[in-house]
C-alpha cells in the first residue's frame, strides 16, 4: 500500500460501517457516517457502496478498493450510538484516526448489554403491559408477564446455545403457545388469545421491520428488500410456532 | 378516562422495557418512553373521534417521527434509539395473531380480512414516517437558512 494514511482511513471507516450494520443500523446512516469519516480524514471524494451483507469502499484516484463482508446481524442500538459518538469526536478532532480504530476494536470486543435478569423482567413487563393496552384484559396481566418472561428466556437461551437463525423465535413462540393454553386449562388465565398476543410482543422483529421501510424509502432497494425478508422470516417463524400449537391443542 | 390514563402509563412502561430488550443506551430510555406515551395519546384521541384506524395510525407514526428527530438532535443520538421502541404499541399484534389463528384453523376468508387490516395499519404507519421525514427535512432546511448557530452546530455532525 502506497498511502498509509489512506489505508488506515479506509480500514477505520469500513470497521465502523461493519459494526453499525451488524447491530441493526439502516444503510443510509452507514453510508453517511463512512463518508463523513473520509471527509474528516481529508478525503472528500470517497466512493462507498453499502448493502446489509457487505461494504465496498475506495478513494478516488487511488488504486485499491476494499471490501468488508458483514456476516452476522444482531440488534444492539448501544453500539450504533457509540460508533456515532466516536464519529462525532473524530469530526471535532478530539481523537485521532488511530485512536478511533482502537476504540472501535475495543467496542466490538466488549459489548455492554443490560444484565440478563433486567432483560427478563423487561420482557415480562413488555408482554403484560402490551397485553392490557391491546386487549384491555386486566386479570391476565400477571400471567402474560410470566409467560412473556419464560418466552424471552427460551429465545435468549436458544440464541446462545445454537446460532441457528429463526429457530429461537420458532421455539420461543411454541413454548409461549403451550404455556398460554395450559394456563387457561388450569384456570390461571382467562383468555389464551390475549396471553399469546402479549407474550409474543418481545419477539416482534421491530428493528428489521422499521429499517426495511426506511431503507426502501431512502432508495436502498436491495438492502430494504433483504431486510424485509429477514423481518418476514422472523414473523413467519413466530406465526408458525403459534399456529402449530393452536392446531395441535 | 381512567382507562386512557392507565393505558398511557402502561405504554410508557412497555416502551421503556422494549428499549431495554434492544439495548438502547440508558440516557435515551426515558425520553423514548415519553415519545411512546404521547404518540399513543394522540392515536387514542383519533380513535375516540372515530377518524378510522388508518388515520389514527398515521397520526401516531407522524408524531413519533417528528418527536424522535427532535430527541435525536437534543440528545445527539441516532434516531432509531427513539422511534423503534415508541412504535411498539402500534404493532398490529392482535390482528396479526387473529390472522395466524384463522389460517391455522382453516377459516381462510376471515384470515384474509385480518391480513388486509394488518396491511392497512402497517401501510399507514409507513406513510406516517414518510410524512415525518418530510417535516424533518423542511425543518432542517428552514433552520439552516434562519439560524447561524444551527449552521455552526451541524457543520460536520454525523447524520442523526
Amino acid at each position: 500500500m502506497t498511502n498509509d494514511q489512506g489505508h488506515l482511513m479506509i480500514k477505520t471507516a469500513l470497521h465502523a460501517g461493519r459494526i453499525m450494520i451488524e447491530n441493526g443500523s439502516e444503510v443510509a446512516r452507514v453510508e453517511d457516517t463512512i463518508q463523513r469519516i473520509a471527509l474528516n480524514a481529508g478525503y472528500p471524494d470517497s466512493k462507498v457502496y453499502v448493502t446489509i451483507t457487505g461494504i465496498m469502499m475506495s478513494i478516488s484516484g487511488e488504486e485499491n478498493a476494499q471490501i468488508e463482508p458483514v456476516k452476522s446481524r444482531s440488534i444492539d442500538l448501544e453500539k450504533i450510538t457509540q460508533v456515532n459518538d466516536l464519529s462525532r469526536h473524530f469530526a471535532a478532532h478530539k481523537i485521532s484516526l488511530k485512536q478511533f480504530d482502537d476504540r472501535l476494536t475495543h467496542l466490538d470486543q466488549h459489548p455492554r448489554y443490560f444484565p440478563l435478569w433486567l432483560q427478563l423482567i423487561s420482557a415480562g413487563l413488555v408482554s403484560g403491559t402490551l397485553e392490557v393496552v391491546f386487549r384491555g384484559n386486566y386479570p391476565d396481566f400477571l400471567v402474560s408477564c410470566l409467560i412473556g418472561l419464560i418466552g424471552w428466556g427460551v429465545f435468549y437461551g436458544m440464541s446462545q446455545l445454537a446460532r441457528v437463525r429463526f429457530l429461537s423465535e420458532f421455539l420461543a413462540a411454541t413454548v409461549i403457545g403451550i404455556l398460554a393454553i395450559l394456563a387457561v386449562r388450569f384456570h390461571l388465565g382467562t383468555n389464551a388469545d390475549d396471553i399469546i398476543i402479549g407474550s409474543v410482543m418481545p419477539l416482534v422483529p421491530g428493528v428489521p421491520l422499521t429499517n426495511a421501510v426506511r431503507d426502501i424509502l431512502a432508495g436502498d432497494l436491495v438492502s430494504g428488500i433483504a431486510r424485509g425478508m429477514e423481518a418476514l422470516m422472523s414473523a413467519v417463524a413466530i406465526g408458525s410456532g403459534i399456529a402449530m400449537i393452536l392446531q395441535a391443542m | 378516562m381512567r382507562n386512557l390514563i392507565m393505558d398511557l402509563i402502561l405504554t410508557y412502561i412497555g416502551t421503556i422495557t422494549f428499549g431495554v430488550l434492544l439495548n438502547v443506551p440508558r440516557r435515551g430510555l426515558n425520553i423514548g418512553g415519553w415519545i411512546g406515551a404521547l404518540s399513543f395519546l394522540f392515536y387514542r384521541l383519533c380513535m375516540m373521534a372515530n377518524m378510522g384506524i388508518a388515520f389514527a395510525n398515521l397520526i401516531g407514526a407522524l408524531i413519533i417521527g417528528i418527536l424522535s428527530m427532535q430527541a435525536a438532535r437534543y440528545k445527539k443520538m441516532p434516531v432509531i434509539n427513539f422511534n423503534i421502541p415508541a412504535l411498539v404499541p402500534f404493532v398490529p399484534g392482535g390482528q396479526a395473531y387473529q390472522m395466524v389463528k384463522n389460517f391455522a384453523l382453516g377459516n381462510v376468508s376471515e384470515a384474509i380480512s385480518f391480513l388486509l387490516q394488518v396491511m392497512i395499519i402497517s401501510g399507514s404507519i409507513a406513510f406516517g414516517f414518510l410524512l415525518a421525514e418530510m417535516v424533518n427535512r423542511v425543518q432542517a432546511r428552514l433552520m439552516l437558512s434562519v439560524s447561524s448557530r444551527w449552521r455552526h452546530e451541524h457543520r460536520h455532525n454525523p447524520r442523526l
Side-chain angles (χ1 to χ4, degrees):
Chain A
M1 198 75 190
T2 49
N3 185 337
D4 278 348
Q5 179 71 10
H7 183 71
L8 183 62
M9 189 281 289
I10 292 190
K11 181 170 166 261
T12 311
L14 285 178
H15 197 171
R18 179 169 61 77
I19 294 179
M20 289 177 91
I21 293 190
E22 273 180 358
N23 293 297
S25 173
E26 69 266 37
V27 166
R29 175 190 309 284
V30 178
E31 223 163 75
D32 192 76
T33 306
I34 289 182
Q35 263 165 357
R36 279 174 199 275
I37 292 173
L39 178 69
N40 292 320
Y43 296 91
D45 51 352
S46 57
K47 303 272 189 293
V48 200
Y49 177 66
V50 183
T51 68
I52 65 166
T53 49
I55 312 170
M56 285 165 239
M57 181 179 189
S58 73
I59 307 172
S60 294
E62 301 224 358
E63 281 175 352
N64 296 319
Q66 290 198 20
I67 298 178
E68 180 93 25
V70 181
K71 294 230 176 73
S72 65
R73 272 179 301 284
S74 62
I75 292 158
D76 182 352
L77 299 186
E78 165 110 36
K79 275 190 188 168
I80 299 176
T81 310
Q82 289 196 359
V83 173
N84 197 59
D85 289 347
L86 285 176
S87 172
R88 278 171 191 281
H89 288 323
F90 181 61
H93 303 290
K94 281 185 198 151
I95 53 175
S96 71
L97 203 53
K98 185 80 186 61
Q99 280 171 319
F100 192 172
D101 193 40
D102 290 346
R103 289 206 198 173
L104 283 176
T105 312
H106 182 263
L107 176 64
D108 206 13
Q109 286 166 353
H110 301 89
R112 220 172 51 135
Y113 292 108
F114 285 100
L116 180 59
W117 61 268
L118 191 58
Q119 285 189 33
L120 286 174
I121 292 176
S122 298
L125 280 174
V126 170
S127 313
T129 53
L130 290 178
E131 185 267 323
V132 175
V133 170
F134 286 161
R135 314 295 290 188
N137 184 346
Y138 285 91
D140 283 348
F141 175 79
L142 278 178
V143 189
S144 302
C145 280
L146 191 65
I147 294 179
L149 190 153
I150 297 172
W152 181 262
V154 171
F155 174 73
Y156 187 89
M158 281 310 297
S159 340
Q160 297 288 319
L161 191 70
R163 298 186 174 274
V164 187
R165 311 263 352 241
F166 311 119
L167 183 68
S168 22
E169 278 102 332
F170 177 76
L171 284 179
T174 314
V175 170
I176 287 171
I178 295 175
L179 287 178
I181 290 175
L182 285 183
V184 173
R185 280 217 186 133
F186 291 106
H187 305 290
L188 296 169
T190 54
N191 188 333
D193 294 352
D194 294 356
I195 299 177
I196 293 177
I197 291 171
S199 312
V200 159
M201 286 311 288
L203 306 176
V204 164
V207 177
L209 262 179
T210 318
N211 280 339
V213 174
R214 285 181 70 112
D215 280 348
I216 289 178
L217 293 182
D220 298 308
L221 298 177
V222 175
S223 303
I225 288 170
R227 192 94 71 174
M229 276 317 286
E230 203 178 5
L232 194 66
M233 281 303 295
S234 307
V236 167
I238 296 171
S240 42
I242 295 287
M244 189 179 81
I245 294 306
L246 284 175
Q247 269 185 339
M249 293 177 80
Chain B
M1 191 63 204
R2 230 186 75 221
N3 258 339
L4 180 65
I5 291 171
M6 200 62 209
D7 275 359
L8 288 181
I9 296 172
L10 291 173
T11 321
Y12 177 77
I13 299 173
T15 310
I16 288 189
T17 44
F18 198 77
V20 171
L21 295 182
L22 299 179
N23 209 12
V24 171
R26 280 147 220 249
R27 64 196 156 107
L29 280 175
N30 182 33
I31 207 161
W34 284 113
I35 293 173
L38 199 62
S39 54
F40 195 73
L41 171 67
F42 278 91
Y43 165 79
R44 271 292 158 87
L45 290 179
C46 285
M47 290 298 276
M48 281 175 183
N50 275 329
M51 288 185 188
I53 199 161
F55 188 76
N57 278 290
L58 190 138
I59 290 291
L62 177 65
I63 289 170
I64 290 178
I66 295 175
L67 291 183
S68 304
M69 203 58 182
Q70 309 309 321
R73 289 199 175 120
Y74 170 64
K75 288 263 178 190
K76 302 207 187 318
M77 285 160 76
V79 68
I80 44 175
N81 282 316
F82 306 107
N83 64 10
I84 295 181
L87 199 59
V88 168
F90 293 88
V91 170
Q95 288 87 341
Y97 171 75
Q98 293 294 348
M99 178 187 91
V100 169
K101 183 180 177 186
N102 282 306
F103 266 126
L105 300 180
N107 309 327
V108 176
S109 59
E110 272 195 46
I112 288 177
S113 96
F114 280 114
L115 173 68
L116 285 179
Q117 278 191 39
V118 172
M119 283 167 70
I120 290 171
I121 293 175
S122 25
S124 30
I125 290 176
F127 276 102
F129 268 159
L130 198 61
L131 278 177
E133 193 86 354
M134 192 195 77
V135 172
N136 291 328
R137 286 200 186 155
V138 169
Q139 184 206 9
R141 190 167 288 181
L142 276 181
M143 296 296 274
L144 270 184
S145 58
V146 172
S147 150
S148 63
R149 196 174 124 239
W150 176 282
R151 215 167 345 187
H152 179 77
E153 276 178 5
H154 294 265
R155 196 174 14 141
H156 44 216
N157 274 352
R159 182 195 182 88
L160 286 165

